[in-house]
Structure formats: C-alpha cells, structure tokens
Amino acid sequence: MKNLKNLERVTIVLVDPQDGANVGAVCRAMKTMGLSKLTIVGEREYSEERVKSLAVHASDLWDNHRRYPTLAESVAESILVVGATRRRGRRRKYFTLFPEQLAERINQTGEGEISIVFGRESDGLTDAELALCHIGVKIPTSDAFPSLNLSQAVQIIAYTLFRETTPIPPFTPIKEERLN
C-alpha cells in the first residue's frame, strides 16, 4: 500500500561525512525524492559554500539539518533504524534488505520516526554503529567495483522509497495528430 506520509517520517542520517560537497549532493538527492529531514552525526565543520554549491536548490535541507555528537543520540526517538551497508561479517547485521524490501518494511511499520543511517565515505559504519540499527539495507552492486559515492547511495534509497510510496499518475497517450 502506497503512503506519501511515510516519506515525511524518514530522516537521512549521515555519520561523519568527509566533505561538504557530498553533504550538498545528498541534500539534492533527498529533495528530488521528497525527503526533507537530514541529520549529521559528528563535530566536523563544513564549508557553507561547498555544501550549497552542490545542493543547488536544496540548500534548505542543509539550513534545517540537525546535528548530534553521537549516532545513539541521533536515533534515540526512531522506531526503526536502518543501517546502509555493503559489508557482511560475524558482527554485522545478520540480514539486510534490498531497497525495495526496505520500502515495503517502512510501509508496514507503525507510526513514528524512521532513520536511515549512512556511514563514512572511506569505511562505512562501524560494528558498534551497526549494532544500533534494527535492520540493514544493501544496494546490489557489481563485485568488480561495489563502492558507491555517498550521495549516489542516498539517491538510490530515496528513489526507491519515493517510487514505492508515491502513486503513479495515470498515463494519457498523445493523440496521433500531435505526433505529425
């Protein structure tokens, strides 16, 4: 069942992003898909100019973002915390969902805030950070080069959520006389 309100309760959480350009690109990726809540974990400072130059017309997300010193504090009010990760291991999440399965899970989750957590560009989320997440989400990629840019990963998840929660408008065919 598609539900636009599900987008309103999703927060994208970035753990210690390395560069303001990536933060700006994340803002743009989010806004194009109807997401508006951004949280940044960590104390790093970012150049406003660098963030806003890539955010383009989505700098309001940057202007309204929330900051927390720890991931635990940032997700404390969330009823569902999802860790975006491509890594598997003994101490990592025992299962991960594909983005489409995540959208379905969100559609089935009761009322409350949902956080989708993305790790550092260099090495993702730590085991301790993943332990704070209820489930994982994994974007399928080629084994030859499985690493996505932070904003690309956010865009894929955001697009999937948008597609799965937004009703598709009816198709109106173009009349033949317009084609000539």
Side-chain angles (χ1 to χ4, degrees):
M1 183 169 127
K2 296 188 178 208
N3 184 349
L4 282 169
K5 292 217 180 273
N6 283 332
L7 291 177
E8 295 170 5
R9 62 193 188 130
V10 171
T11 297
I12 298 297
V13 179
L14 306 180
V15 176
D16 197 27
Q18 292 172 254
D19 191 310
N22 273 343
V23 174
V26 164
C27 291
R28 188 171 183 174
M30 290 173 59
K31 192 161 187 173
T32 62
M33 297 297 130
L35 297 175
S36 60
K37 296 180 187 176
L38 174 65
T39 292
I40 297 177
V41 174
E43 302 298 326
R44 191 181 305 238
E45 295 297 321
Y46 303 96
S47 159
E48 290 276 325
E49 183 180 318
R50 204 146 161 79
V51 172
K52 291 186 175 192
S53 69
L54 267 85
V56 187
H57 297 292
S59 59
D60 58 311
L61 274 67
W62 166 254
D63 294 337
N64 296 314
H65 82 280
R66 292 177 286 170
R67 290 292 284 256
Y68 293 91
T70 68
L71 180 58
E73 290 171 277
S74 76
V75 299
E77 301 296 319
S78 296
I79 63 163
L80 180 63
V81 181
V82 182
T85 184
R86 68 178 173 85
R87 297 191 179 134
R88 300 299 297 257
R90 210 176 60 167
R91 301 184 70 195
R92 300 227 165 227
K93 288 295 164 203
Y94 59 92
F95 75 95
T96 56
L97 304 175
F98 289 122
E100 294 79 8
Q101 293 170 311
L102 172 60
E104 185 178 327
R105 173 65 64 91
I106 288 171
N107 283 334
Q108 295 169 353
T109 299
E111 305 247 345
E113 293 297 311
I114 296 166
S115 293
I116 304 175
V117 183
F118 293 83
R120 295 156 199 82
E121 294 94 323
S122 58
D123 53 4
L125 296 168
T126 66
D127 289 341
E129 290 162 343
L130 271 174
L132 296 171
C133 301
H134 302 116
I135 57 175
V137 63
K138 178 181 179 170
I139 300 167
T141 56
S142 165
D143 289 339
F145 192 71
S147 181
L148 290 168
N149 174 279
L150 175 61
S151 64
Q152 293 169 335
V154 170
Q155 183 75 67
I156 290 168
I157 299 295
Y159 167 76
T160 304
L161 295 179
F162 180 80
R163 191 186 75 220
E164 297 295 325
T165 59
T166 306
I168 300 169
F171 174 73
T172 305
I174 297 173
K175 298 185 188 267
E176 190 172 334
E177 53 269 7
R178 280 194 61 207
L179 296 175
N180 296 325

